Amino acid sequence: MGIVQRQGLRNTIISYLGLALGFLNTAFIVPRFLAANQLGLTSTLLSIATIYAQLSALGFASVGIRFFPYFRNREAGHQGFLPLLLGIPLLGFGLVTLLYLSGKPLVLGFYEHAQDRALISSYYGWAAGLALFVMLYSLQDAYLKGLYHTAFSSFVQEILLRVLQAGAAVLYGLGYLSFHGYVLAYIGTMSGIALLLTVYLAYIGELHVRPTTAALRVQPIRGILSFGAFALLANISGTIIMNIDTLMVSSQLNLAAAGVYSIAFFISTALTLPARSLNKIAFPLLADYWKENALPRMAAFYRDTTRLNAVLGCYLALGIGLNLDFIYGLMNNPALQAGTTAVLVLLAARLFDGITGLNGLIVVTSPRYRYDLLFNVSLALVTIGLNALLIPRLGLTGAAVAFLLAIVSINLARTWFVWHSYRMQPFTARIPLILLSAAVAGGAAWLMPTFNSALATMLLRSTVLTIVYAALILLTKSAPEATALLQKFRRQNPPA
């Protein structure tokens, strides 16, 4: 097995473990020990730092992946690529930091509640430090991807970071840390993983930090900066889409509401697992299909993955939605239950995103990939506008509805674009059958009697949902893969 296959297998295992740890950490461990406004503060600081880091990096994380093959030469220290990769973003960080620090009164002015404003103010400078290490992590991670050493960076981000953050929350809950100590530990763990990557680069002999003029001659620096600018616009749009709602909830409502919303948002991310797994397979396949001009095969793959996303997504959405009482009960924090409606709306958004298939990946791997920038920028602007309009009127639910409307809009636009440009669309007659099966199974589970024990209710509803949904999927033959699997099982295990 080659290095790419080994790293790919390790990354897959780490991703699944990391998702499980992240769900356990964010949905159950941290909420048991932190109040809603404390959760809101940490999620707000992370959102600020993430956007800050993206602006500072000037798109160079994508530059690292795109251009490193032209610089690859270990004996020559990769011709000064790492100093170039880090140097320009550090200059960008300096510029953004000047704007960030001078703009403190403006930023704090968005927070109406004096207590929230004071809390953000006390950690305002710390967010700049956090942004620096978030940026350094992303740049070193891009460099490691070029070196085909990705498993370690995945491990420290997906597993080690979450274990350390959970440990900090437990120490705070047991009284060994003050809240200030917890926030510093939270920031410290985020910063520590960037330093670990630096140590790892030194360990594998790839920490080439001496600048050389050769770095300016391998590829035209103008072309590198131009690509970085394009990547910056694309990346910052995605970052805004994923973080702006938390920031706007914290400023337009309060930090406690941001904490409630951050938990609701993370619960809904469980629905992205099937799509994430499929996308790792889909990206290289789509690139090959474009290279071979195999549009009929691409169209079939588009439809098959959409159907599979619909089957798994409906099941997960119903499983989470029907058992929210049980999920929130495990948190032992009644204040967070205000996010229940937001979770349901966010689940609908995630489900629609999955059911509309691979439209985004098809666009970004196609000859017309530049249109994806237009879609991303438009989505970011629409998201900001909808949040500004709906949060003051609907509160937390408004942020979730804004996310839903933005996701529906962008996916309809991308689906139309793929159809208009290449005559491919993701839907077949099986999709309505899947949705109908899900509706019937969900209704049957919902009608089950409830018990005093939330665990017993969850087990009953989950069992009914699983049996009815699986039976209907098999009877309607809406998922050929499931039918083929059942037939294979019957052949291998004939009745006595």
Side-chain angles (χ1 to χ4, degrees):
M1 184 183 291
I3 184 172
V4 175
Q5 287 84 358
R6 289 197 304 271
Q7 295 283 318
L9 177 60
R10 292 169 185 169
N11 281 326
T12 300
I13 295 171
I14 289 168
S15 295
Y16 279 97
L17 288 175
L19 184 68
L21 282 172
F23 192 82
L24 181 67
N25 187 16
T26 306
F28 301 124
I29 297 176
V30 175
R32 293 180 70 90
F33 300 113
L34 272 70
N37 67 325
Q38 294 172 333
L39 288 167
L41 174 66
T42 53
S43 61
T44 297
L45 290 176
L46 183 58
S47 294
I48 290 172
T50 302
I51 295 174
Y52 189 155
Q54 282 284 3
L55 287 171
S56 302
L58 302 174
F60 265 58
S62 297
V63 165
I65 297 171
R66 171 69 176 79
F67 286 97
F68 180 74
Y70 298 98
F71 290 78
R72 189 192 304 277
N73 186 333
R74 185 170 185 177
E75 289 73 21
H78 304 301
Q79 304 178 78
F81 183 74
L82 183 59
L84 177 67
L85 181 67
L86 298 177
I88 293 177
L90 285 172
L91 292 175
F93 179 81
L95 177 61
V96 174
T97 299
L98 288 175
L99 295 173
Y100 175 75
L101 295 178
S102 61
K104 182 177 179 179
L106 177 63
V107 173
L108 295 179
F110 287 108
Y111 291 85
E112 298 180 1
H113 297 271
Q115 184 179 3
D116 290 346
R117 189 163 55 248
L119 199 55
I120 293 291
S121 178
S122 63
Y123 291 102
Y124 193 82
W126 287 101
L130 178 58
L132 173 63
F133 286 102
V134 169
M135 182 187 77
L136 290 175
Y137 175 88
S138 68
L139 294 170
Q140 292 180 103
D141 180 57
Y143 181 56
L144 284 167
K145 286 177 180 175
L147 294 168
Y148 301 116
H149 284 270
T150 58
F152 183 77
S153 61
S154 295
F155 168 75
V156 297
Q157 184 180 43
E158 299 289 346
I159 295 179
L160 181 61
L161 174 65
R162 286 165 171 156
V163 170
L164 292 175
Q165 288 179 341
V170 171
L171 290 174
Y172 169 68
L174 295 177
Y176 292 104
L177 287 176
S178 64
F179 179 65
H180 179 69
Y182 168 75
V183 174
L184 296 187
Y186 181 88
I187 293 173
T189 57
M190 297 291 295
S191 306
I193 64 171
L195 296 177
L196 273 176
L197 289 197
T198 305
V199 172
Y200 180 71
L201 284 171
Y203 173 74
I204 63 175
E206 296 288 5
L207 189 63
H208 308 291
V209 294
R210 179 178 296 177
T212 67
T213 56
L216 304 177
R217 297 192 298 267
V218 176
Q219 284 285 301
I221 193 67
R222 183 176 178 180
I224 292 176
L225 294 175
S226 176
F227 181 85
F230 178 86
L232 170 62
L233 289 174
N235 294 341
I236 195 62
S237 299
T239 302
I240 288 173
I241 292 161
M242 298 304 294
N243 291 277
I244 197 64
D245 44 5
T246 297
L247 290 177
M248 295 184 75
V249 166
S250 68
S251 63
Q252 296 189 50
L253 298 178
N254 50 59
L255 286 176
V260 172
Y261 184 78
S262 66
I263 296 298
F265 193 86
F266 192 85
I267 290 173
S268 73
T269 60
L271 207 61
T272 65
L273 178 59
R276 284 182 181 179
S277 301
L278 285 172
N279 287 352
K280 289 180 180 180
I281 304 170
F283 202 104
L285 273 177
L286 290 173
D288 286 342
Y289 289 150
W290 283 116
K291 180 181 177 181
E292 299 166 6
N293 198 30
L295 294 189
R297 292 169 62 194
M298 187 186 301
F301 182 67
Y302 189 19
R303 292 190 296 269
D304 290 345
T305 52
T306 297
R307 184 181 65 249
L308 186 56
N309 267 334
V311 171
L312 298 175
C314 285
Y315 179 70
L316 287 174
L318 288 169
I320 294 170
L322 288 167
N323 295 301
L324 280 178
D325 289 343
F326 174 75
I327 293 172
Y328 274 108
L330 291 176
M331 297 180 192
N332 196 30
N333 193 336
L336 299 179
Q337 294 184 11
T340 300
T341 302
V343 174
L344 296 175
V345 177
L346 291 168
L347 287 174
R350 305 285 191 187
L351 182 59
F352 190 87
D353 191 38
I355 288 178
T356 46
L358 301 174
N359 49 52
L361 282 181
I362 290 175
V363 175
V364 81
T365 56
S366 75
R368 308 183 75 180
Y369 67 92
R370 286 183 174 85
Y371 281 91
D372 192 59
L373 174 60
L374 175 63
F375 289 126
N376 283 331
V377 172
S378 300
L379 179 56
L381 295 175
V382 167
T383 302
I384 293 171
L386 288 172
N387 274 291
L389 179 67
L390 295 176
I391 290 174
R393 292 167 174 79
L394 301 175
L396 292 178
T397 304
V401 171
F403 185 78
L404 171 63
L405 293 176
I407 290 295
V408 169
S409 299
I410 194 66
N411 277 290
L412 289 177
R414 281 174 173 156
T415 300
W416 174 85
F417 182 81
V418 172
W419 165 249
H420 177 75
S421 300
Y422 305 109
R423 287 297 183 267
M424 290 186 290
Q425 59 87 22
F427 306 115
T428 67
R430 288 190 170 100
I431 298 296
L433 290 175
I434 293 169
L435 296 177
L436 180 60
S437 299
V440 172
W446 177 254
L447 291 173
M448 289 297 101
T450 58
F451 304 103
N452 291 331
S453 168
L455 175 60
T457 302
M458 183 275 292
L459 291 174
L460 177 62
R461 285 180 172 178
S462 299
T463 301
V464 172
L465 171 67
T466 301
I467 292 173
V468 175
Y469 187 59
L472 290 174
I473 292 294
L474 291 171
L475 287 173
T476 59
K477 298 181 180 180
S478 50
E481 298 87 355
T483 305
L485 187 62
L486 178 64
Q487 291 173 346
K488 181 179 179 180
F489 178 80
R490 285 176 174 174
R491 286 194 301 269
Q492 292 177 351
N493 301 273

